[in-house]
Amino acid sequence: ISRQKALADILEHALMYCIAAKLPQPKPLVSLLEEGRRQCYLHDEAMAEHARADGQRTLACASGGRARHLPIRRVQSRVARLLKVEAPVGGWKSKAHAARVIAEPLVHFIRKHRFAMSSGNECVIRNIVRWINKEPRVGAAFMAKRSTLG
């Protein structure tokens, strides 16, 4: 419907130009229709080019997001490993306890590999607790080594 409206607008404008120019005879309808068809084609080409550019931009953003998330996934894998390896004999008393114990080796890992994330102890402890709560792999590692007492 919008193409038909656009074509009608083009025809109306063409007729107004003919009247405004005081031409003795307006352009033939065939040439006006051809002009409208050409304008619709140009519009479709512009829309297709815009869609291609938008698709490329979306792909670039998605790949950038995956690239930024890769180091975080490596750190989360290290957290899961540390939760299993560093667990005390009786198991983890709480998520905060586990986070405090593995924070120092994790900070060392972050600094050694120069990951672009905060490596302050308090930030790392908050991240560990958040990952235990929200990331299934990290949460499963904690649950496997949690204390069975109270």
Side-chain angles (χ1 to χ4, degrees), residues 34-81:
E34 185 60 38
E35 175 66 21
R37 192 174 311 122
R38 189 171 62 75
Q39 290 297 327
C40 287
Y41 174 77
L42 291 174
H43 174 71
D44 288 348
E45 285 296 312
M47 293 302 289
E49 179 60 33
H50 178 70
R52 279 192 293 274
D54 194 36
Q56 289 171 349
R57 191 170 30 256
T58 301
L59 287 175
C61 290
S63 67
R66 284 190 297 273
R68 282 189 302 276
H69 190 64
L70 185 62
I72 293 172
R73 288 196 350 227
R74 285 187 60 198
V75 172
Q76 289 173 349
S77 294
R78 179 54 66 111
V79 168
R81 185 174 163 279

Side-chain angles (χ1 to χ4, degrees), residues 23-41:
L23 294 175
Q25 209 169 23
K27 287 185 179 180
L29 183 60
V30 173
S31 65
L32 291 176
L33 290 173
E34 185 60 38
E35 175 66 21
R37 192 174 311 122
R38 189 171 62 75
Q39 290 297 327
C40 287
Y41 174 77

Side-chain angles (χ1 to χ4, degrees), residues 81-138:
R81 185 174 163 279
L82 288 171
L83 284 169
K84 292 175 184 175
V85 172
E86 298 289 328
V89 175
W92 298 114
K93 295 177 189 172
S94 67
K95 295 172 186 175
H97 172 239
R100 283 192 304 273
V101 170
I102 67 170
E104 188 176 326
L106 189 62
V107 166
H108 177 71
F109 176 76
I110 292 169
R111 289 182 180 156
K112 177 183 173 188
H113 293 284
R114 299 180 185 194
F115 290 126
M117 58 187 305
S118 177
S119 60
N121 260 4
E122 290 305 313
C123 288
V124 169
I125 289 171
R126 275 195 308 271
N127 283 335
I128 292 169
V129 171
R130 184 168 43 87
W131 291 335
I132 290 171
N133 290 328
K134 301 215 181 230
E135 295 297 323
R137 188 175 31 161
V138 178

